[in-house]
Amino acid sequence: QIKMSKAQAIEKALERVFQESDIEIVNDSESHRGHGGYSDGETHFKLIIKSSKFNGMSRLEKHRAVHEALGSDLLRKIHALELQLTDK
């Protein structure tokens, strides 16, 4: 069985909820090597999502929607998550 990377798991989780959205996942972990929270090279991510699902949502609601899509198990494995979320 092939183990899915965290970036792949993030992509799969987001694509399930945010179909027909523009999703970019940036692994920024290497720039944090030696800092707190760095472990396996997959600890710091930037998510850039442009989605019509965000239309009418507040910034907090958008962040909650992304966190819900990722789920608590995956979020526990990520040290830092930067979100850039815009309406489509």
Side-chain angles (χ1 to χ4, degrees):
Q1 180 172 339
I2 298 172
K3 185 177 178 189
M4 192 181 311
S5 72
K6 288 180 198 167
Q8 290 169 320
I10 290 169
E11 183 176 26
K12 187 174 179 181
L14 292 175
E15 286 179 344
R16 262 197 315 265
V17 174
F18 297 100
Q19 304 96 349
E20 299 179 29
S21 300
D22 300 327
I23 300 171
E24 182 180 351
I25 301 165
V26 179
N27 183 345
D28 194 33
S29 302
E30 197 53 40
S31 66
H32 296 274
R33 181 181 287 276
H35 299 175
Y38 181 91
S39 60
D40 61 2
E42 284 199 295
T43 53
H44 296 70
F45 291 93
K46 180 193 301 186
L47 306 182
I48 304 163
I49 306 172
K50 185 179 275 193
S51 176
S52 58
K53 283 194 177 269
F54 294 143
N55 294 351
M57 286 186 173
S58 70
R59 182 176 178 189
L60 181 58
E61 289 169 329
K62 292 174 187 178
H63 282 244
R64 284 182 177 156
V66 171
H67 280 243
E68 187 176 317
L70 294 174
S72 59
D73 287 344
L74 185 52
L75 285 171
R76 268 194 292 277
K77 298 173 185 172
I78 300 168
H79 178 70
L81 190 61
E82 179 184 341
L83 302 178
Q84 292 181 3
L85 312 174
T86 55
D87 301 354
K88 192 170 187 179

